[in-house]
Amino acid sequence: MMTKQRADLTFKDNLKRGRHSWLRLTPAYSVKIVEQILDENPHIQSVLDPFSGTGTTGLVASERGLKCDLWDINPLLVWLAKVKCDIYTPLQIAHIQQISQEIIIFANKVPINNLWFPPISNIARWWSNNYLIPLAKIFHAINHLCPIINKERNLLYIAFCQIMIQWSNASFNHQSMSFKKPTNQMRLFDESEETMIYQNFIEVVKEITTNANQALASQPTIYLQDARHPSNNNQVYDAVITSPPYVNRMSYIRELRPYMYWLGYLNEAKEAGELDWQAIGGTWGIATSRLNDWTPDNAVAIPNLQTIIQKIDISSPTLGHYVHKYFVDMSCHFANIYPLVANGGHIYYVIGNSKFYDTLVPAEKIYAELMQSHGFIDVNIQVIRKRNSKKELLEFLVSARKPA
Ligand SMILES: C[S@@+](CC[C@H](N)C(=O)[O-])C[C@H]1O[C@@H](n2cnc3c(N)ncnc32)[C@H](O)[C@@H]1O
């Protein structure tokens, strides 16, 4: 049977799903996949997502009143997942709607020389001045009128992030972020555009607060945690439902940097490379040069993997190291996750394969072998969808069980 691209099983479909739509980030996986796993396994009462990203698993679990813990290594995503799954009272929601009007009145009066701009390199590539200035005015007004970190400010930041990216030159139509082609030359400051941005902010706040008003039956607990070396919290879970980074050199930091610079999670380019190096599959900035010097502490005893790495090594030793390190990291993760799964519990990993030069990296098969080598049984690989125009690039659900 032909495998289809199934846009309904990507983050794009999440955009129609209330709180799931708050920030359109390519790392997010499909709400439907998590729902389907939980529908088919009604005995699951506690869930862990060790690579939780935007918190999709946590939000689905919260909608069903399940106990759920989330881990991610990226502090922006930990913040986002917390805000998405938080409880908002009618009073807080009314306050946010009222304050959004005050923000616009205040923003209109902020002198330009009071404004702060994020220290992102080559800022003009991201925003033209006629958009950047009203955005910086709104950001200034939010911080001035909500000087304390609280639920109100968090939701206003989500609204800000939405419009900040909407009025940027960033384009998320491909697998990773790129810049739109400039459509016009230097433009004079246009007051009507400033008004449009302010109106856009008010509309986005309205939409976000409508979603926030919908109650959740439980809340996940979210930790800034490295999934390779989790601290022992003595928890066991009925199921792990997750989607780790793919072996495709996509850098989450690169994708997320506009949000991270505006919200203060990044202050200089050096930090971006450091954070990417900590993430599994990170290859951006300093992470690339560190990969060249990397040698494994532990070998991954999968003969097929060694052959794949040797083939990639011939074309690029850096990429050979990249693929090798990725699976050493994932092996470490599977070893440390095993004790956290309840006896008889299940693990579900959504993962894509990839291709470097002519060498296919069948991540799903290597995952299956890693799961088995760490003690899981009944390993199953299911194709979910085709990822792009290349017929061999697919997304899989790899699942397994811990013996009872
Ligand atoms: C494919 S994304 C997960 C997307 C998520 N399912 C969602 O719907 O948003 C993979 C995530 O793994 C995180 N990550 C990478 N290395 C990690 C590590 N060592 N420990 C924990 N999280 C890590 C990344 O920050 C990223 O958010």
Side-chain angles (χ1 to χ4, degrees):
M1 202 179 73
M2 206 174 77
T3 309
K4 298 206 176 123
Q5 261 182 285
R6 301 285 309 263
D8 62 317
L9 295 181
T10 69
F11 74 96
K12 286 180 192 150
D13 188 62
N14 300 357
L15 300 177
K16 302 174 210 137
R17 307 285 297 257
R19 291 179 187 223
H20 286 286
S21 70
W22 279 359
L23 292 186
R24 182 190 169 166
L25 302 182
T26 39
Y29 68 176
S30 153
V31 176
K32 279 190 187 166
I33 292 177
V34 183
E35 287 180 339
Q36 198 176 325
I37 294 170
L38 292 173
D39 285 346
E40 288 170 4
N41 298 279
H43 62 276
I44 295 174
Q45 290 303 309
S46 58
V47 181
L48 169 68
D49 185 345
F51 300 96
S52 60
T54 65
T56 309
T57 313
L59 191 47
V60 175
S62 300
E63 285 159 357
R64 295 167 179 237
L66 305 179
K67 178 182 164 16
C68 183
D69 283 352
L70 304 180
W71 306 343
D72 203 280
I73 204 160
N74 184 313
L76 167 83
L77 295 174
V78 169
W79 169 80
L80 172 61
K82 278 187 181 151
V83 178
K84 264 165 93 171
C85 301
D86 216 336
I87 292 169
Y88 301 95
T89 64
L91 205 67
Q92 281 162 340
I93 287 175
H95 186 211
I96 295 165
Q97 285 169 346
Q98 178 216 326
I99 214 164
S100 64
Q101 302 287 346
E102 289 168 27
I103 284 168
I104 297 313
I105 296 167
F106 188 89
N108 247 317
K109 296 184 200 146
V110 183
I112 290 187
N113 47 10
N114 277 9
L115 296 177
W116 172 87
F117 299 100
I120 192 166
S121 114
N122 199 353
I123 197 164
R125 197 162 58 137
W126 289 91
W127 299 274
S128 56
N129 249 354
N130 43 332
Y131 299 163
L132 181 62
I133 290 169
L135 288 172
K137 285 181 169 186
I138 295 175
F139 193 67
H140 180 96
I142 296 175
N143 291 331
H144 182 83
L145 294 170
C146 297
I148 298 164
I149 303 172
N150 57 16
K151 295 188 189 196
E152 283 91 334
R153 192 165 88 170
N154 281 338
L155 281 191
L156 291 164
Y157 273 2
I158 296 275
F160 173 78
C161 284
Q162 268 198 31
I163 60 160
M164 169 276 280
I165 217 70
Q166 208 161 306
W167 292 88
S168 79
N169 296 322
S171 157
F172 293 89
N173 291 329
H174 306 286
Q175 186 187 331
S176 61
M177 195 277 300
S178 58
F179 287 101
K180 290 172 203 154
K181 289 203 181 76
T183 47
N184 47 10
Q185 300 295 316
M186 274 287 290
R187 293 166 56 183
L188 292 174
F189 191 76
D190 181 344
E191 234 178 74
S192 66
E193 280 172 341
E194 183 164 11
T195 311
M196 272 161 66
I197 293 177
Y198 293 157
Q199 274 168 0
N200 189 194
F201 178 72
I202 298 284
E203 283 156 18
V204 171
V205 170
K206 222 185 256 170
E207 200 181 305
I208 287 173
T209 46
T210 307
N211 306 147
N213 216 356
Q214 284 152 11
L216 294 175
S218 63
Q219 273 189 288
T221 313
I222 305 156
Y223 302 90
L224 184 66
Q225 169 121 267
D226 186 338
R228 285 163 296 194
H229 307 289
S231 56
N232 185 1
N233 59 0
N234 292 324
Q235 297 277 341
V236 287
Y237 304 90
D238 296 337
V240 172
I241 304 177
T242 195
S243 171
Y246 292 5
V247 210
N248 61 3
R249 299 205 68 197
M250 193 199 96
S251 160
Y252 295 102
I253 303 295
R254 180 180 178 277
E255 296 280 304
L256 301 176
R257 84 203 121 120
Y259 305 96
M260 295 184 77
Y261 275 104
W262 274 104
L263 300 194
Y265 292 102
L266 279 178
N267 296 299
E268 51 179 329
K270 208 169 73 188
E271 289 171 7
E274 287 296 339
L275 273 181
D276 213 35
W277 178 243
Q278 285 166 31
I280 294 179
T283 61
W284 204 48
I286 189 80
T288 308
S289 51
R290 291 211 183 131
L291 268 179
N292 292 325
D293 303 329
W294 175 84
T295 49
D297 294 335
N298 300 305
V300 181
I302 296 181
N304 288 344
L305 179 61
Q306 295 312 325
T307 316
I308 290 166
I309 292 166
Q310 279 160 11
K311 273 197 201 156
I312 298 172
D313 253 338
I314 297 170
S315 306
S316 161
T318 309
L319 282 182
H321 283 201
Y322 166 75
V323 173
H324 195 172
K325 182 173 184 300
Y326 175 91
F327 287 109
V328 167
D329 283 345
M330 283 310 296
S331 178
C332 178
H333 164 70
F334 284 120
N336 288 322
I337 210 81
Y338 188 82
L340 306 187
V341 180
N343 293 339
H346 285 80
I347 60 174
Y348 302 89
Y349 282 69
V350 173
I351 186 67
N353 58 2
S354 47
K355 200 168 184 183
F356 293 100
Y357 306 101
D358 283 336
T359 309
L360 191 73
V361 179
E364 77 290 0
K365 291 192 185 133
I366 302 170
Y367 270 40
E369 292 195 52
L370 287 175
M371 288 174 182
Q372 252 156 2
S373 71
H374 289 294
F376 292 101
I377 57 173
D378 295 345
V379 182
N380 180 50
I381 299 174
Q382 186 191 329
V383 177
I384 300 176
R385 64 179 193 97
K386 188 158 138 262
R387 289 224 310 283
N388 59 23
S389 51
K390 288 194 195 149
K391 72 172 184 323
E392 66 270 57
L393 291 189
L394 302 171
E395 196 162 70
F396 303 88
L397 177 66
V398 187
S399 59
R401 183 168 68 83
K402 183 169 171 175

